[in-house]
Amino acid sequence: MAKFKDLDPSVQRVFYAIGITFALLLGATYWTVKLAFAGHEAVMDPNYHEIGLNYEKTLASTKQMLAEGYELQSTLFTDRLPLTSGNNRIEIRFVKGTEPVSGAELKLRRERGATTKFTQDFDLKETSPGVYTTDSFTVPDLGHWVVTAFAKENDRTLRKVTNIAVQR
């Protein structure tokens, strides 16, 4: 049986290269697993059942309020590119038919698909009857965002969702 030192130098270099490659693959595997566990996000919210029940109630409430003539109006829902990266001023009119709805609670939720890292809620303040604004709606990066408006009045919630593309 031949010993390693008796092999041709080119064959020895091939064995060294295979050994180094194997060590690098082990190191890369370790690093990948370490990164995967460091940035772990739960696959499912622990309160998913309660969230699902509330979601069904919110959908039913939204359907009923829309049938009664409630509406959220804003350039956020109609403009092609309503937001820019950074700080934005948002104004939303909350109306029932043509009458403004005062004293409601309005909230905006900014989300990004497939992660909860960027999810943030923003409260809007009533600046005049039926007109709610915030000057601090921030969009941290370019790309596609989901913005959901929630208007709560008399224990009922009107929900409106829009997909926004931020390009500047």
Side-chain angles (χ1 to χ4, degrees):
M1 180 177 242
K3 296 189 182 210
F4 184 74
K5 65 179 180 175
D6 295 335
L7 294 175
D8 188 73
S10 65
V11 174
Q12 288 179 354
R13 285 193 293 269
V14 168
F15 274 109
Y16 284 128
I18 290 171
I20 290 171
T21 303
F22 183 72
L24 288 173
L25 283 172
L26 283 177
T29 301
Y30 168 77
W31 186 255
T32 302
V33 170
K34 181 181 175 186
L35 285 177
F37 283 115
H40 174 69
E41 262 188 48
V43 176
M44 187 176 0
D45 193 300
N47 301 320
Y48 74 95
H49 184 69
E50 188 67 31
I51 291 170
L53 290 175
N54 289 337
Y55 183 73
E56 293 297 325
K57 289 177 188 174
T58 302
L59 286 179
S61 175
T62 295
K63 193 174 186 178
Q64 181 184 12
M65 290 179 81
L66 287 173
E68 293 174 7
Y70 284 93
E71 185 181 5
L72 293 170
Q73 302 170 344
S74 175
T75 57
L76 181 67
F77 307 121
T78 57
D79 284 0
R80 188 172 154 267
L81 299 171
L83 301 176
T84 60
S85 181
N87 213 26
N88 293 272
R89 183 175 198 279
I90 306 279
E91 182 176 291
I92 297 178
R93 291 188 67 235
F94 185 32
V95 295
K96 181 179 181 182
T98 57
E99 296 296 315
V101 178
S102 291
E105 295 176 30
L106 264 76
K107 175 174 72 171
L108 288 174
R109 177 172 294 148
R110 180 204 65 216
E111 302 172 279
R112 195 153 214 176
T115 183
T116 58
K117 182 178 178 182
F118 298 104
T119 301
Q120 187 175 358
D121 289 344
F122 300 88
D123 292 322
L124 283 79
K125 305 230 182 294
E126 189 169 12
T127 54
S128 61
V131 178
Y132 299 81
T133 61
T134 182
D135 292 322
S136 60
F137 188 83
T138 57
V139 180
D141 200 6
L142 303 177
H144 292 279
W145 296 89
V146 178
V147 178
T148 308
F150 298 93
K152 187 173 184 180
E153 190 213 19
N154 298 331
D155 294 330
R156 297 187 308 169
T157 303
L158 177 64
R159 180 177 171 268
K160 189 166 186 174
V161 180
T162 186
N163 292 308
I164 306 283
V166 177
Q167 297 179 350
R168 51 188 163 87

